[in-house]
Amino acid sequence: QVQLVESGGGLVQPGGSLRLSCAASGSILSINTMGWYRQAPGKERELVATINRGGNTNYVDSVKDRFTISRDNDKNTVYLQMDSLKPEDTAVYYCNAFPYILNYWGRGTLVTVSS
């Protein structure tokens, strides 16, 4: 079973950047599509971006042209580069397969965008 550990969150000013990492304890090669999700305070968890084994990506409209998802199958790691951050990006960010696998949810990493 794969365990996922997210890292890289923190406090950043509006317009700033962060790079999130998702390290898998096992191989992610068997997972065709990986995704980054987020859950803002008082809101439901939402899908932010996906990447398949071939490198094809998709983004929710609110992060297009600002976020970039990537994966390194050799390192069993998925990344989320976040630029031009906005206060509404504040959330706990999680990675998981897409569609998600219930037992794969980790603790997430908190991103706070505030001046």
Side-chain angles (χ1 to χ4, degrees):
Q1 180 169 328
V2 173
Q3 289 186 320
L4 303 171
V5 178
E6 302 89 351
S7 63
L11 173 63
V12 63
Q13 292 186 343
S17 298
L18 283 175
R19 188 193 195 206
L20 306 184
S21 298
C22 169
S25 61
S27 174
I28 61 172
L29 278 176
S30 62
I31 303 174
N32 181 51
T33 303
M34 291 293 296
W36 279 97
Y37 303 74
R38 67 185 180 187
Q39 187 166 18
K43 295 188 177 181
E44 293 191 354
R45 195 171 299 184
E46 66 168 344
L47 178 66
V48 174
T50 62
I51 183 168
N52 67 14
R53 213 179 286 136
N56 296 309
T57 59
N58 280 289
Y59 301 90
V60 68
D61 284 347
S62 60
V63 308
K64 275 181 184 177
D65 301 322
R66 299 190 299 120
F67 289 11
T68 303
I69 187 172
S70 60
R71 67 191 283 174
D72 186 332
N73 292 326
D74 291 336
K75 293 183 179 179
N76 294 316
T77 303
V78 183
Y79 304 97
L80 186 68
Q81 176 67 41
M82 306 187 296
D83 299 316
S84 302
L85 282 161
K86 304 176 180 179
E88 50 263 44
D89 295 318
T90 294
V92 178
Y93 284 72
Y94 304 85
C95 66
N96 203 321
F98 176 78
Y100 69 80
I101 297 172
L102 193 59
N103 292 340
Y104 282 12
W105 289 118
R107 294 186 176 183
T109 186
L110 176 63
V111 173
T112 303
V113 185
S114 175
S115 55

